[in-house]
Amino acid sequence: MGAINYSALSSAELNGLYLELQGRFDEYKNRKLSLDMSRGKPCSEQLDLSLGMLDAIGSNDSLKTKDGSDSRNYGGLDGIAEAKELFAKILEVSMNEIIIGGNSSLALMHDTISRAMVHGLYSSKAPWGKLPVVKFLCPSPGYDRHFAICELFGIEMIPVEMLPDGPNMDQVERFVREDAGVRGIWCVPKYSNPDGITYSDEVVDRLASMETKAEDFTIFWDDAYTVHHLTDNPDRLKNMLAACKAAGNPDRVLIFSSTSKISFSGSGISVMAGSENNLNYFRKQLAVQSIGPDKINQLRHVRFFKDTDHIKAHMEKHAAIIKPKFDTVFSILEAGLSGRQIAEWNKPNGGYFISLNTLDGCAREVVSMASEAGVTLTKAGATFPYGKDPRNRNIRIAPTFPTPAELKTAIEILCLCVQLVSIRKLLADKG
Amino acid sequence: MGAINYSALSSAELNGLYLELQGRFDEYKNRKLSLDMSRGKPCSEQLDLSLGMLDAIGSNDSLKTKDGSDSRNYGGLDGIAEAKELFAKILEVSMNEIIIGGNSSLALMHDTISRAMVHGLYSSKAPWGKLPVVKFLCPSPGYDRHFAICELFGIEMIPVEMLPDGPNMDQVERFVREDAGVRGIWCVPKYSNPDGITYSDEVVDRLASMETKAEDFTIFWDDAYTVHHLTDNPDRLKNMLAACKAAGNPDRVLIFSSTSKISFSGSGISVMAGSENNLNYFRKQLAVQSIGPDKINQLRHVRFFKDTDHIKAHMEKHAAIIKPKFDTVFSILEAGLSGRQIAEWNKPNGGYFISLNTLDGCAREVVSMASEAGVTLTKAGATFPYGKDPRNRNIRIAPTFPTPAELKTAIEILCLCVQLVSIRKLLADKG
């Protein structure tokens, strides 16, 4: 068909096109496929890259940490020194500004919100649970699990527009300056989920220095994709803790990260970074919650990854596996959707997602139609607070987990669905 | 000196004895020892018993779980089937009545209380944080970390007397019947910390069936030492979940346990058991907190321990290492303190502690004096809510971690301290 601008077609032409595309869609449907593209999960080949970690600590290896303590026993509340050292380098903070957690940075974030509700944060005058209302700014599209935490704790979510260099800072600055109820913001500042955007230096500086009405306004800085580059020319993110310190707001940010998409998704290690004031406050509460995270697994990670150079090399192997998958998606989207004025998508330099925007009002129908043909996508709306995409247009594509063949089929089906639903919309608009 | 009843001695005799004992104490003091007996930690030889587990999963082993899923990836919110199966057998519950957690059952308990405060429990009419007061019954002496959780969340603790077959049930029944503020009770029902008491069937049944004023009164059943026997004639604990079901109160109990003192203290797996109603309620909240615990470590445990018979055999090896340590303590206490009417202690069939009661009013001084000679004991009072032992007499002895030689010296010093402080008290009482 070539790249025809659909809105320039007549109703008759659109109907003809629709029938042809519908026939192709039905063929796919008859194949009774079952392809899951819903979550940003590494594929099996990616997980194989870390298999050597399982041999990094055997019964004949020393289980002593650098400081001579036995990693097998109790203790080590906030992590072993060598794990802190490694993460401190990755996140460009000092060793005292790091807490190592269990296998889930999501749990660190959830638990931080939970502590804020019950006990308050370091800078809080009162626990959030005692306040009349707690609100979070949610740059959207964003990460659905952040939004789920807010829902669980009854935190009101305020969507903020995402621009090509991060959240719309004019909106952000106004909300935090005027509304004391606004206590936090969720950020995935590098290769954002799902847009793949990295915040500009200006956005970082404005977040760090803006005037906030709430005394304990906190930036939840989910640096999940900090070393997850897809190109040789990776994005660079300005150091947020340093920016907050420079702006005189050292306690404003909590940084989260993990190895879930570096080593094993279920068996990685997580990390929280922030000012010593913030972390010492949490350490006191952590001491009541647990006697410390799994130190053998920390040792396993440190012995396998050694240093930041090895992690860089390891991430290049990940990229070698998943970059072609991203490219597959781009070329199919290009062939199926470009020039037709019915969809737009980003081309990130890293991370795990491709964010596809359809014509307004079409996303839910596209996802549901894809599902009829056996392709499970992230639920439409999931990338917005309360699952409500105001323009009903954003679809998150997670290309890493499927095999290349599955991915190709799934994206072909997705393209067909976008075309079909768009044509229906254009026809309806014509009346 | 033989076993003389100290209270039968004259002041002159006591003074003479004091000088002799003081001389021996000073000799120890001059040795500048540093012996830590403060926590119930396994010793290095015990941890060696599980070294094979580190080889149970290497890069050449299958990482698939029984149901075919990849243990390395995300998913498996409440544990892999084979881990649930193993723990279901140990705790005598069904597989749907089990959630596998991370490396810390303490974290499961802390998080449960935190959820109760913010969201309420399955049977709650309101979150505990919205109630005017929340109280917990604390059979004492008990586990200091339970009490620390209550303090962190502002839960008022009511001490309940421990009898030889469990908490004083007349007291317990009266509190829960009359006071709607009483929302829970902490229990270490088998080889209790520190008394080594196992609750009788009658106590279990009364806890399960008693009338409670609070709709969501919950028994926190910390079955930490369920397979931790020291003799061939182990205590038997009645199945609490079954008892609750039989009494028509299936949602009353939450059971906690872990492998922290079976495999590696820092790298074990934890478990929560309870009614399906309770667990399904928690599963919904867990799904927001995390994408699931470390499944590779679960697989490692299941492949190494295989089944309950292997765990039994493994625990016998633990007992072979630590039983002689308990015996060392008994024989030194016997030689140094028995017959003198100045101290009593228990002889548990399992668990990790020996509970020593001095004359009223002496414990704090004994612990502080031992510390002068380089012996760190659990802080006096720690086994009671708010650290306040009303009779100031209970000292928790944790014999597992020190070497046999260290242990011998530490207990000899402890005995001297008990004798010296007791004589001072007896002299003071004589005026």
Side-chain angles (χ1 to χ4, degrees), chain A residues 57-84:
Chain A
I57 296 191
S59 60
N60 292 318
D61 295 302
S62 163
L63 275 295
K64 295 270 186 231
T65 60
K66 249 179 163 180
D67 67 3
S69 69
D70 188 339
S71 65
R72 305 170 302 176
N73 219 322
Y74 288 114
L77 181 65
D78 61 355
I80 63 173
E82 44 268 64
K84 288 190 213 174

Short mmCIF file of all heavy atoms in Angstrom, two decimals, chain A residues 57-84:
data_model
loop_
_atom_site.label_atom_id
_atom_site.label_comp_id
_atom_site.label_asym_id
_atom_site.label_seq_id
_atom_site.Cartn_x
_atom_site.Cartn_y
_atom_site.Cartn_z
N ILE A 57 30.06 -18.41 43.86
CA ILE A 57 30.26 -18.82 45.26
C ILE A 57 29.81 -20.26 45.44
O ILE A 57 28.61 -20.56 45.42
CB ILE A 57 29.48 -17.91 46.23
CG1 ILE A 57 30.04 -16.49 46.12
CG2 ILE A 57 29.60 -18.42 47.66
CD1 ILE A 57 29.56 -15.56 47.19
N GLY A 58 30.78 -21.14 45.59
CA GLY A 58 30.50 -22.54 45.88
C GLY A 58 30.99 -22.88 47.27
O GLY A 58 31.51 -22.03 47.99
N SER A 59 30.85 -24.14 47.63
CA SER A 59 31.18 -24.54 49.00
C SER A 59 32.66 -24.38 49.32
O SER A 59 33.06 -24.35 50.48
CB SER A 59 30.74 -25.98 49.25
OG SER A 59 31.40 -26.84 48.34
N ASN A 60 33.49 -24.30 48.27
CA ASN A 60 34.93 -24.17 48.53
C ASN A 60 35.42 -22.72 48.54
O ASN A 60 36.60 -22.46 48.76
CB ASN A 60 35.73 -24.94 47.48
CG ASN A 60 35.52 -26.44 47.65
OD1 ASN A 60 35.51 -26.94 48.77
ND2 ASN A 60 35.31 -27.13 46.54
N ASP A 61 34.51 -21.80 48.27
CA ASP A 61 34.91 -20.39 48.23
C ASP A 61 34.77 -19.74 49.60
O ASP A 61 33.96 -20.17 50.42
CB ASP A 61 34.05 -19.64 47.21
CG ASP A 61 34.29 -20.13 45.81
OD1 ASP A 61 35.45 -20.08 45.37
OD2 ASP A 61 33.34 -20.61 45.17
N SER A 62 35.55 -18.70 49.79
CA SER A 62 35.45 -17.96 51.05
C SER A 62 34.10 -17.25 51.11
O SER A 62 33.66 -16.65 50.13
CB SER A 62 36.58 -16.95 51.16
OG SER A 62 36.24 -16.01 52.16
N LEU A 63 33.48 -17.34 52.25
CA LEU A 63 32.21 -16.64 52.45
C LEU A 63 32.40 -15.40 53.31
O LEU A 63 31.45 -14.80 53.79
CB LEU A 63 31.18 -17.58 53.11
CG LEU A 63 30.36 -18.52 52.21
CD1 LEU A 63 29.46 -17.72 51.31
CD2 LEU A 63 31.22 -19.46 51.42
N LYS A 64 33.66 -15.05 53.50
CA LYS A 64 33.97 -13.85 54.29
C LYS A 64 33.83 -12.62 53.40
O LYS A 64 34.23 -12.62 52.24
CB LYS A 64 35.42 -13.90 54.79
CG LYS A 64 35.69 -15.02 55.78
CD LYS A 64 35.46 -14.58 57.21
CE LYS A 64 35.89 -15.65 58.20
NZ LYS A 64 34.84 -15.96 59.19
N THR A 65 33.31 -11.57 54.01
CA THR A 65 33.31 -10.30 53.30
C THR A 65 34.66 -9.62 53.56
O THR A 65 35.44 -10.07 54.38
CB THR A 65 32.17 -9.39 53.81
OG1 THR A 65 32.37 -9.16 55.20
CG2 THR A 65 30.82 -10.06 53.62
N LYS A 66 34.86 -8.54 52.80
CA LYS A 66 36.11 -7.77 52.91
C LYS A 66 36.48 -7.42 54.35
O LYS A 66 37.65 -7.43 54.72
CB LYS A 66 35.90 -6.44 52.18
CG LYS A 66 36.68 -6.28 50.92
CD LYS A 66 36.32 -4.90 50.35
CE LYS A 66 37.30 -4.43 49.33
NZ LYS A 66 36.90 -3.09 48.83
N ASP A 67 35.47 -7.07 55.15
CA ASP A 67 35.75 -6.66 56.52
C ASP A 67 35.86 -7.85 57.46
O ASP A 67 35.90 -7.68 58.68
CB ASP A 67 34.69 -5.66 57.02
CG ASP A 67 33.32 -6.31 57.18
OD1 ASP A 67 33.18 -7.54 56.95
OD2 ASP A 67 32.37 -5.60 57.53
N GLY A 68 35.89 -9.06 56.90
CA GLY A 68 36.14 -10.25 57.71
C GLY A 68 34.92 -10.89 58.33
O GLY A 68 35.01 -11.90 59.02
N SER A 69 33.74 -10.33 58.07
CA SER A 69 32.56 -10.95 58.68
C SER A 69 32.03 -12.08 57.80
O SER A 69 32.33 -12.17 56.61
CB SER A 69 31.49 -9.89 58.97
OG SER A 69 30.96 -9.42 57.77
N ASP A 70 31.27 -12.96 58.42
CA ASP A 70 30.78 -14.17 57.75
C ASP A 70 29.46 -13.85 57.06
O ASP A 70 28.44 -13.61 57.71
CB ASP A 70 30.60 -15.26 58.81
CG ASP A 70 30.27 -16.62 58.21
OD1 ASP A 70 29.79 -16.67 57.05
OD2 ASP A 70 30.49 -17.63 58.90
N SER A 71 29.46 -13.86 55.73
CA SER A 71 28.26 -13.46 54.98
C SER A 71 27.09 -14.42 55.22
O SER A 71 25.95 -14.09 54.91
CB SER A 71 28.56 -13.39 53.48
OG SER A 71 28.87 -14.68 52.99
N ARG A 72 27.39 -15.60 55.77
CA ARG A 72 26.33 -16.59 55.96
C ARG A 72 25.48 -16.31 57.19
O ARG A 72 24.39 -16.83 57.35
CB ARG A 72 26.93 -17.99 56.11
CG ARG A 72 27.84 -18.38 54.96
CD ARG A 72 28.59 -19.66 55.27
NE ARG A 72 29.39 -19.56 56.48
CZ ARG A 72 30.09 -20.56 57.01
NH1 ARG A 72 30.07 -21.75 56.43
NH2 ARG A 72 30.80 -20.39 58.10
N ASN A 73 26.02 -15.51 58.11
CA ASN A 73 25.35 -15.33 59.40
C ASN A 73 24.47 -14.07 59.39
O ASN A 73 24.37 -13.39 58.39
CB ASN A 73 26.39 -15.28 60.53
CG ASN A 73 25.89 -16.01 61.77
OD1 ASN A 73 24.71 -15.93 62.11
ND2 ASN A 73 26.78 -16.70 62.46
N TYR A 74 23.84 -13.83 60.52
CA TYR A 74 23.05 -12.61 60.69
C TYR A 74 23.95 -11.37 60.60
O TYR A 74 25.16 -11.46 60.74
CB TYR A 74 22.39 -12.61 62.08
CG TYR A 74 21.26 -13.59 62.23
CD1 TYR A 74 21.36 -14.66 63.10
CD2 TYR A 74 20.07 -13.42 61.54
CE1 TYR A 74 20.31 -15.55 63.29
CE2 TYR A 74 19.01 -14.31 61.71
CZ TYR A 74 19.13 -15.37 62.59
OH TYR A 74 18.09 -16.25 62.76
N GLY A 75 23.30 -10.22 60.43
CA GLY A 75 24.03 -8.95 60.50
C GLY A 75 24.15 -8.26 59.16
O GLY A 75 23.64 -8.76 58.14
N GLY A 76 24.80 -7.13 59.16
CA GLY A 76 25.00 -6.39 57.91
C GLY A 76 23.72 -5.76 57.43
O GLY A 76 23.29 -5.95 56.29
N LEU A 77 23.12 -4.95 58.30
CA LEU A 77 21.80 -4.38 58.07
C LEU A 77 21.63 -3.71 56.71
O LEU A 77 20.62 -3.88 56.05
CB LEU A 77 21.53 -3.33 59.16
CG LEU A 77 20.17 -2.65 59.10
CD1 LEU A 77 19.06 -3.66 59.34
CD2 LEU A 77 20.10 -1.52 60.10
N ASP A 78 22.63 -2.94 56.30
CA ASP A 78 22.44 -2.15 55.07
C ASP A 78 23.38 -2.57 53.95
O ASP A 78 23.62 -1.81 53.02
CB ASP A 78 22.56 -0.65 55.35
CG ASP A 78 23.94 -0.29 55.88
OD1 ASP A 78 24.75 -1.21 56.10
OD2 ASP A 78 24.21 0.90 56.06
N GLY A 79 23.87 -3.81 54.06
CA GLY A 79 24.66 -4.34 52.95
C GLY A 79 26.14 -4.49 53.28
O GLY A 79 26.64 -3.87 54.21
N ILE A 80 26.81 -5.33 52.53
CA ILE A 80 28.24 -5.54 52.73
C ILE A 80 29.00 -4.41 52.01
O ILE A 80 28.53 -3.86 51.01
CB ILE A 80 28.71 -6.92 52.23
CG1 ILE A 80 28.50 -7.07 50.72
CG2 ILE A 80 27.95 -8.03 52.95
CD1 ILE A 80 29.09 -8.35 50.14
N ALA A 81 30.16 -4.09 52.55
CA ALA A 81 30.90 -2.93 52.06
C ALA A 81 31.19 -3.02 50.56
O ALA A 81 31.05 -2.03 49.83
CB ALA A 81 32.21 -2.79 52.84
N GLU A 82 31.57 -4.21 50.09
CA GLU A 82 31.95 -4.31 48.68
C GLU A 82 30.77 -4.08 47.75
O GLU A 82 30.94 -3.56 46.64
CB GLU A 82 32.68 -5.62 48.37
CG GLU A 82 32.09 -6.88 48.97
CD GLU A 82 32.70 -7.24 50.33
OE1 GLU A 82 32.51 -6.44 51.27
OE2 GLU A 82 33.33 -8.30 50.46
N ALA A 83 29.56 -4.44 48.18
CA ALA A 83 28.37 -4.18 47.35
C ALA A 83 28.05 -2.68 47.35
O ALA A 83 27.71 -2.11 46.32
CB ALA A 83 27.18 -4.99 47.85
N LYS A 84 28.19 -2.07 48.53
CA LYS A 84 27.97 -0.62 48.60
C LYS A 84 28.96 0.11 47.70
O LYS A 84 28.59 1.07 47.01
CB LYS A 84 28.16 -0.14 50.04
CG LYS A 84 27.03 -0.54 50.97
CD LYS A 84 27.21 0.21 52.29
CE LYS A 84 26.74 -0.62 53.46
NZ LYS A 84 27.04 0.03 54.74
#
